[in-house]
Amino acid sequence: MLSLIIFKLLVSFNALAIEKCPSDSYYVKSHPRGSYTKNDGTFVKATQVIGFCRKKSEAYSFWSEKIKDGTPPNWPHINESKSSWSESEKEKFYEAMESLPRELWQSNLKGVYRLKRSKDFPNPASQGGDMIVLYDNAFSSDRTLARIASHELAHQIFDNLNENQKLDYSLATNWKLKFEDRKFFWEPRESGYVEKDGNLSRAEDFANNIEYFLFKPDELNLKTPTALQWINKHFGDKFKLRETK
Amino acid sequence: MRLTNLVILFLVIHMIGCQAKRINNQISFEKVQQLLPGNDTQEVVSRKLGSPTQKELNKSSQLETWLYDDQKSGYQRLTITFSENKKILSILWLPHSGEPEADLEFIKGKFSQNSFTQKTIVSENPHTIEKSINYTSEKHGMSLLVEGAKETVVGIAFYDKSMRAPTNDETKTPPFTDYLIGK
């Protein structure tokens, strides 16, 4: 009985707090937050966050509508089970998005979903049909959430490039269009990949190269300088990670 | 006298080089259509188009491929594969942005005698899904690779009809309906 009363009090306190947040802020509910590392290498300790009003960031305004629970509509990997966003994960996601260049924020993206585990575990994230899925291990990976998300958002960019831009990227990075046995296919360049799976498709190569352009540009320059040059030319000088508080 | 001979020799070599380059510069879709798969030899191709930028030997099929790069961009422009008897097996042309042959309707109109069959090709990898459309006229030995919502022709192939047909001809069911019909 006592616990029920306490629970009701907490709920009403939360509701009151939400109402009290100014219009330029949103209420962050009390939640346990696990330790994690920011893009700049700062280690953030685990703690119990007490509910508070946070000023709406640019990332919150853009992404809050896109954060969705449940399974994405028509998701082809039917054996992947759904999860839901925790308060802590949402906050980490906004922080990660804030650090990424705005060119990666593609407005035609319909949703960012949470599923438990990829059919290709330990793959931490997937993209398709204008949707992104983050799996549980995206929040506990050695790669930062921003880096994982940048890769999936790069897939969305590749989808959004027009065919001439895709062709330009492909040819500039030494992919060759071939026609054998009455079939077209893109032949990967022989070497020069920042990640092994870059030779699976032009889209995968593009996403890897965008990720490395932002997070390990020296390695990209060493292994695929043509990609670095293309990204520089296409996006310009402002395409880089942003400093966050 | 010896020096004069050397200068003359140098000039002759330079002129031959320029000539080859000039032919290569003139590669156009119209010119490519004059080549006859199954009939024209490497010699004919060399005479009409000049030397290729690169020659490749397919490791598995042992067939020779000639690649002609675009002189301006240095990117792949034309690829010709030869059969074992050195005759053209297939020709692959990559249209440039803005060229009429990059437009599907233009190509359909130009080759209106061809009856194209359309097929959607979906390729998956662990992280993402891609699709393209093939238009093929088996009767005339012609195939188109079309990509994107604007139906851009990315590749045009003319082939010897004796060319081996695909061994794996499965069509997958597209996973994202809205994704496939274009944004």
Side-chain angles (χ1 to χ4, degrees), chain A residues 1-174:
Chain A
M1 185 63 187
L2 183 64
S3 57
L4 186 69
I5 292 167
I6 292 169
F7 176 75
K8 282 189 173 175
L9 277 171
L10 279 172
V11 168
S12 49
F13 175 75
N14 265 343
L16 197 65
I18 292 164
E19 282 169 19
K20 275 187 178 177
C21 283
S23 61
D24 65 346
S25 303
Y26 66 101
Y27 187 69
V28 179
K29 290 183 220 163
S30 298
H31 63 272
R33 187 191 65 204
S35 62
Y36 69 104
T37 307
K38 289 184 175 183
N39 276 335
D40 59 7
T42 312
F43 180 74
V44 182
K45 281 193 293 185
T47 188
Q48 175 65 37
V49 176
I50 308 297
F52 67 106
C53 290
R54 168 168 273 169
K55 197 166 183 184
K56 289 175 184 171
S57 63
E58 210 183 327
Y60 175 87
S61 303
F62 185 89
W63 290 101
S64 57
E65 294 286 310
K66 296 185 190 295
I67 285 181
K68 289 172 182 174
D69 286 330
T71 307
N74 301 319
W75 191 242
H77 314 312
I78 51 172
N79 291 328
E80 293 180 348
S81 49
K82 64 184 177 184
S83 184
S84 55
W85 286 86
S86 71
E87 196 74 357
S88 168
E89 287 167 355
K90 284 182 190 172
E91 288 303 295
K92 283 179 189 170
F93 184 75
Y94 295 140
E95 186 180 285
M97 292 301 104
E98 203 62 51
S99 71
L100 295 178
R102 298 304 179 254
E103 289 85 349
L104 286 176
W105 296 13
Q106 297 289 292
S107 56
N108 69 332
L109 196 75
K110 291 174 190 161
V112 185
Y113 290 81
R114 278 283 287 113
L115 298 183
K116 283 182 180 165
R117 182 183 163 107
S118 167
K119 72 178 182 66
D120 300 299
F121 183 83
N123 170 38
S126 295
Q127 178 271 354
D130 298 330
M131 292 171 287
I132 283 176
V133 163
L134 296 173
Y135 301 103
D136 287 356
N137 58 332
F139 295 88
S140 57
S141 169
D142 287 342
R143 287 155 75 205
T144 61
L145 183 61
R147 189 168 164 185
I148 290 165
S150 74
H151 179 99
E152 303 310 321
L153 294 167
H155 275 301
Q156 187 68 24
I157 289 184
F158 191 77
D159 284 354
N160 289 343
L161 291 178
N162 67 42
E163 297 320 306
N164 295 319
Q165 290 168 325
K166 279 184 191 172
L167 192 64
D168 193 59
Y169 170 80
S170 310
L171 299 176
T173 51
N174 299 317

Side-chain angles (χ1 to χ4, degrees), chain A residues 74 76 110 120 123 127 130 155 163-164 168 172 176-178 180-184 197 201-202 204, chain B residues 56 58 75-76 92 97 125-128 130 138 143 147-148 161 163-164 166 168 176 178 183:
Chain A
N74 301 319
K110 291 174 190 161
D120 300 299
N123 170 38
Q127 178 271 354
D130 298 330
H155 275 301
E163 297 320 306
N164 295 319
D168 193 59
K176 282 178 188 159
L177 184 63
K178 290 286 177 82
E180 285 175 17
D181 299 343
R182 303 189 189 191
K183 281 164 92 175
F184 292 98
D197 64 358
S201 68
R202 297 175 296 152
E204 201 56 49
Chain B
E56 280 181 0
N58 187 301
Y75 295 167
Q76 178 191 2
L92 171 60
S97 166
N125 75 42
H127 313 281
T128 191
E130 294 174 83
E138 299 271 356
S143 201
E147 291 184 345
K161 282 171 274 178
M163 187 186 209
R164 198 175 65 183
N168 178 9
F176 297 114
D178 53 347
K183 300 167 195 95

Side-chain angles (χ1 to χ4, degrees), chain B residues 70-133:
Chain B
D70 181 71
Q71 291 291 319
K72 199 173 168 187
S73 65
Y75 295 167
Q76 178 191 2
R77 179 68 152 156
L78 171 69
T79 305
I80 302 176
T81 303
F82 296 94
S83 59
E84 286 155 350
N85 60 7
K86 310 288 181 196
K87 287 184 177 175
I88 297 173
L89 191 62
S90 68
I91 301 164
L92 171 60
W93 175 254
L94 277 73
H96 277 172
S97 166
E99 287 179 337
E101 66 265 26
D103 181 70
L104 179 62
E105 291 311 310
F106 173 85
I107 289 289
K108 280 181 173 176
K110 188 175 176 67
F111 297 93
S112 55
Q113 78 280 11
N114 293 13
S115 174
F116 289 104
T117 52
Q118 182 185 339
K119 191 166 140 188
T120 300
I121 311 292
V122 178
S123 54
E124 272 185 69
N125 75 42
H127 313 281
T128 191
I129 295 154
E130 294 174 83
K131 75 122 193 179
S132 59
I133 301 170

